[in-house]
Amino acid sequence: MASMASVSQFPCKTFQNSSQNSKLIPSTSISPANRINFSALSNAKSTKLKQSFAVRAVSEDEWGPDSSAPSVAVVEEKPSEIDLLKKKLVDSFYGTNRGLSASSETRAEIVELITQLEAKNPTPAPTEALPLLNGKWILAYTTFSGLFPLLSRGAALPLVKIEEISQTIDSVNFTVQNSVLFSGPGATTSISTNAKFEVRSPKRVQIKFEEGVIGTPQLTDSIVLPDNVEFLGQKIDLSPFKSLLTSVEDTASSVAKTISSRPPLKFSISNRNAESWLLTTYLDDELRISRGDGGSIFVLIKAGSLLLTP
């Protein structure tokens, strides 16, 4: 960071000589606290978020009566305005089932936060920063109505859960993979679409879908049967079936291992809806906001980001 040398010159405490005592004693004109705004000292440009720091000189009163102990500069890290907006945005997704269950008030609040973030976009030309786009992104929220039937069916089917909806971008080979991961008793499976993309502007890419892939079920460690499930408004007690779980697990394990050994099922996509475009309106190393050709909003979080931690 620029001007870091100035930290060593920071006046924590001054001393004066006493004719009666050869020891150095603190001056009475000590300033108890001083602050330096590091952001004003640096002109370096970076696509990463800027942090605000303050340096405070701690006086001897805060450390006890030992005047021989030197003063200590304490660095206090403060979240930036963008960090606060991102945290508030992600918190607003709670209980919305990726947007499906969001109320009109919550949607309005989310749109307002998205607009504020877009105005502070640290990457004004996302397609010129392809390494930032690269990697796996987890869908956290969307207004795309085409996904709502999938989300609603996943919520209605007993024992079946949509674990994850993701988009993986390979900026070297210009490919995109959209994937939905399902989980059920004893196994998981996925449905994916593979596509190519072309850069059309500093913010826009054109996407052409080429094939779909239905993954073979993958066996999980064991079947965990809940006490009850709700189906069509009726609560069904599953406790009587738990005694049969051991034999079912053995049979399911044998079948799943046979199925899992088979290659995934692939099919071509060649209809007129196989192309779309995507506009990236906000991008940093952990959050991406995009808008589709129908005006839909997609908010995605980079896999491994702390924003995914509740």
Side-chain angles (χ1 to χ4, degrees):
M1 181 178 293
S3 304
M4 283 302 293
S6 63
V7 177
S8 61
Q9 301 171 3
F10 181 68
C12 293
K13 188 178 293 184
T14 59
F15 294 84
Q16 64 182 13
N17 281 320
S18 171
S19 60
Q20 299 177 354
N21 194 333
S22 60
K23 294 183 179 180
L24 293 175
I25 62 173
S27 172
T28 57
S29 60
I30 296 173
S31 175
N34 293 278
R35 294 185 178 272
I36 295 179
N37 187 354
F38 279 81
S39 60
L41 302 178
S42 175
N43 293 323
K45 294 184 178 179
S46 173
T47 58
K48 292 187 177 293
L49 297 176
K50 294 184 179 179
Q51 299 289 333
S52 175
F53 294 90
V55 172
R56 178 168 59 88
V58 181
S59 69
E60 63 183 17
D61 292 338
E62 300 177 60
W63 291 93
D66 186 5
S67 60
S68 63
S71 296
V72 179
V74 180
V75 179
E76 301 172 348
E77 183 177 350
K78 296 181 179 179
S80 67
E81 185 178 358
I82 288 181
D83 286 333
L84 294 174
L85 282 173
K86 291 196 298 186
K87 179 67 167 56
K88 192 172 181 180
L89 176 64
V90 173
D91 287 347
S92 68
F93 298 154
Y94 180 78
T96 66
N97 190 15
R98 303 178 181 88
L100 173 67
S101 306
S103 65
S104 56
E105 293 82 4
T106 300
R107 286 178 184 146
E109 177 187 355
I110 289 172
V111 168
E112 174 60 27
L113 291 169
I114 286 174
T115 302
Q116 292 181 46
L117 277 170
E118 288 174 334
K120 300 178 182 298
N121 183 15
T123 314
T127 59
E128 296 175 8
L130 290 180
L132 274 180
L133 283 170
N134 202 54
K136 183 178 180 179
W137 297 85
I138 311 300
L139 181 70
Y141 177 85
T142 185
T143 62
F144 179 48
S145 59
L147 274 179
F148 288 166
L150 175 66
L151 294 174
S152 60
R153 286 171 188 156
L157 290 174
L159 306 180
V160 176
K161 180 182 178 182
I162 297 177
E163 289 288 346
E164 182 182 274
I165 299 176
S166 64
Q167 183 177 74
T168 302
I169 298 177
D170 182 346
S171 60
V172 176
N173 297 307
F174 292 89
T175 62
V176 177
Q177 183 183 71
N178 296 331
S179 182
V180 181
L181 178 65
F182 298 92
S183 67
T188 62
T189 190
S190 64
I191 299 177
S192 306
T193 57
N194 296 327
K196 289 279 191 179
F197 73 88
E198 297 179 1
V199 174
R200 294 295 177 87
S201 77
K203 291 185 177 182
R204 176 176 164 174
V205 295
Q206 191 76 18
I207 299 175
K208 183 178 181 180
F209 296 98
E210 297 182 334
E211 68 175 6
V213 180
I214 300 176
T216 53
Q218 300 299 310
L219 183 67
T220 56
D221 293 336
S222 62
I223 299 175
V224 178
L225 200 64
D227 292 331
N228 56 72
V229 295
E230 189 169 332
F231 183 59
L232 299 178
Q234 299 294 320
K235 187 171 288 187
I236 302 174
D237 183 15
L238 297 180
S239 56
F241 299 96
K242 289 191 174 183
S243 60
L244 303 175
L245 190 58
T246 302
S247 60
V248 171
E249 278 187 330
D250 293 340
T251 304
S253 175
S254 176
V255 173
K257 286 179 180 179
T258 301
I259 296 176
S260 298
S261 63
R262 298 181 179 179
L265 175 64
K266 297 183 179 182
F267 56 93
S268 62
I269 301 175
S270 58
N271 58 41
R272 61 182 180 180
N273 296 321
E275 291 192 27
S276 65
W277 56 263
L278 206 61
L279 193 70
T280 300
T281 55
Y282 180 92
L283 177 66
D284 62 29
D285 58 357
E286 63 178 355
L287 183 72
R288 176 161 63 96
I289 300 174
S290 299
R291 294 180 181 263
D293 49 7
S296 301
I297 296 173
F298 301 87
V299 181
L300 303 102
I301 300 173
K302 196 70 167 286
S305 169
L306 292 178
L307 290 176
L308 290 170
T309 305

